[in-house]
Amino acid sequence: MIAKDLPWLEPQQALLRASYAAGRLAHAFLIHEARGAGGDVLASWAAQLVLCTDLAHAPCGACAGCRRAATSQHPDLMTLQLMDESRQIRIEQVRELSAELALTSHQGGYKVAIISPADALNRAAANALLKTLEEPTARTLLILVATQPSRLPATILSRCQKIRVRAPARSEAVAWLQSIRGPAEWGATLDVLGDAPLFALEADPKTVVEFARETRRILEETSGGRADPAATAERWWRTDLPLRLLCIENWLTDRIRRHFAGGAFSVEMSAPVHLQRAAQFPSIRNLFGIMDAVQDLKSSLDAPLNRALALEGLLRRLAAE
Ligand SMILES: [Zn+2]
C-alpha cells in the first residue's frame, strides 16, 4: 500500500512537501492516526520524500532512494517496531536507534527513523528517546506513529510537530474499498471493524459480517437464557478471539445505546408500563460491567490465562439478567 493510493492523506502530504521544499521541515513528527487509517503509510511516504534522489519530483517513487525506502531497505532508514510477542518498545531498541542516528548518513543526505507504534514505548525507552529529540543532529527526521499519543510523556509530545490522520468518511472508505477489492458488504464490515479502512482491506468481508451476525445471535440467546455459556465459551475461545471480542463489544455498545434510548422514551409512559419495560432490559450496570470484562480480556490476550473461563464468566453475567 502506498500513499498515493490513500486519497485522504493528500492534505498531510501537501503540507510535508511544502515544508520540505521550503527547507522548513521539522526534525520530529508525531503522526496521530485513527486505527487503520494509514499512519504508517504516511510515515513511509515522508521517508521517501527526504530520501528521494530526484529533488524536483520528491518523492518520485521510481528512484533507488524511493524504492529502497518504500521496502524499508534503505541504509539511512531505520524502523523501530514491536519485537516478537512484546507489547512494548524497549530502551535497548531506542539506544541502538539513537547511536545509529548519530552517525553520518550512508548516502550523504537525510537519516530517517520511524517509530511505530510509538505509544508502545515504555517509560525508560521514551526517556532515552527524549535525548535524541532534544539534541537533533542536522538532517535527521524522526517520525512517531501513534493511535494513542496521550500515552506518551508530554516532554516527547511537545518536541514533535503533530500531524493528524483521521479515518475517511464512511462513504469515502466504502468507495475506496470497492475500487480496490470490488463490491462487497463494506459498510457492514466497517460497522464491525470500526472505521479502519486498512484493516477492512485485509479482511474477508463475508466472513467478518457472518461472524458478527453469529456472535449477535448467540449473545441474544445467552441473554435470554437460551444458550449455554460454558458450551459457547468452549467454542469461542479457540478461533479468532480478538475479532469475537470486538463483535461482543459492538453488541454491548448497541445494547447500552438502546438502553438509554429506551429510558428516555419510557419517561413519557405511565409508571406501571415504565416498570414493566425496565424489567425487559439488562441492567445498565451489568452491561458496563461486562464491557469492562471484555476490555480486560482484550488487554490480556497475550497473558497466560484461561480464556475459556474468562469468556464463560462474561457470558454468565449476561445470562444472569
Ligand atoms: Zn525518488
Side-chain angles (χ1 to χ4, degrees):
M1 189 52 47
I2 52 175
K4 80 171 169 54
D5 296 329
L6 308 183
W8 59 89
L9 294 180
E10 274 166 23
Q12 293 85 343
Q13 291 171 277
L15 183 111
L16 286 165
R17 198 187 270 120
S19 311
Y20 182 57
R24 288 185 287 102
L25 196 67
H27 74 272
F29 287 94
L30 172 82
I31 298 176
H32 176 189
E33 65 150 358
R35 287 170 59 247
D40 286 322
V41 178
L42 183 65
S44 169
W45 183 90
Q48 292 170 56
L49 175 70
V50 299
L51 295 171
C52 179
T53 52
D54 183 355
L55 290 182
H57 304 99
C60 71
C63 72
C66 283
R67 280 186 284 117
R68 284 193 194 136
T71 51
S72 295
Q73 283 167 345
H74 197 292
D76 290 320
L77 171 62
M78 286 141 281
T79 311
L80 224 60
Q81 295 166 320
L82 292 172
M83 305 236 289
D84 308 321
E85 300 287 289
S86 174
R87 294 174 70 89
Q88 294 187 336
I89 293 178
R90 295 187 168 37
I91 187 166
E92 298 77 29
Q93 292 174 267
V94 173
R95 283 197 181 129
E96 204 177 309
L97 178 92
S98 302
E100 188 65 39
L101 280 178
L103 303 172
T104 47
S105 78
H106 293 83
Q107 313 271 327
Y110 259 90
K111 287 186 84 87
V112 186
I114 297 174
I115 304 180
S116 177
D119 34 17
L121 285 161
N122 67 24
R123 184 160 291 276
N127 284 336
L129 182 67
L130 197 55
K131 263 185 117 73
T132 305
L133 281 169
E134 280 169 337
E135 300 153 15
T137 38
R139 285 157 87 73
T140 45
L141 177 61
L142 209 65
I143 307 167
L144 282 64
V145 183
T147 49
Q148 290 179 283
S150 58
R151 291 169 68 170
L152 286 163
T155 42
I156 297 251
L157 298 177
S158 66
R159 282 171 176 82
C160 297
Q161 187 175 324
K162 277 148 211 87
I163 300 180
R164 191 81 166 90
V165 173
R166 291 192 164 82
R170 175 61 66 93
S171 56
E172 189 184 351
V174 167
W176 178 77
L177 286 161
Q178 233 164 64
S179 73
I180 296 177
R181 296 263 315 266
E185 284 188 87
W186 292 117
T189 304
L190 291 168
D191 279 342
V192 179
L193 301 178
D195 281 310
L198 269 70
F199 293 168
L201 187 71
E202 304 289 317
D204 172 19
K206 218 174 147 194
T207 309
V208 169
V209 172
E210 193 42 54
F211 199 84
R213 282 188 191 131
E214 191 226 353
T215 307
R216 238 178 358 245
R217 181 173 57 76
I218 294 174
L219 289 173
E220 295 285 351
E221 287 175 10
T222 307
S223 121
R226 299 188 307 279
D228 175 30
T232 305
E234 189 50 37
R235 237 182 18 255
W236 278 5
W237 77 272
R238 292 170 200 279
T239 46
D240 221 342
L241 189 54
L243 180 60
R244 186 76 74 183
L245 291 174
L246 195 57
C247 293
I248 299 176
E249 210 180 332
N250 291 342
W251 183 84
L252 284 168
T253 307
D254 192 45
R255 260 329 249 272
I256 289 167
R257 271 205 203 112
R258 269 160 55 196
H259 186 102
F260 283 120
F265 177 61
S266 61
V267 171
E268 306 289 322
M269 297 189 291
S270 64
V273 181
H274 177 113
L275 287 174
Q276 202 187 339
R277 268 190 75 87
Q280 291 171 8
F281 288 106
S283 86
I284 196 75
R285 253 182 92 168
N286 198 21
L287 286 177
F288 278 118
I290 300 168
M291 185 67 105
D292 285 346
V294 173
Q295 301 300 340
D296 284 350
L297 195 51
K298 261 173 88 177
S299 63
S300 57
L301 275 180
D302 55 355
L305 96 171
N306 191 330
R307 296 187 180 104
L309 211 60
L311 254 182
E312 187 186 328
L314 196 146
L315 292 166
R316 281 202 186 287
R317 291 180 72 165
L318 193 61
E321 281 298 335

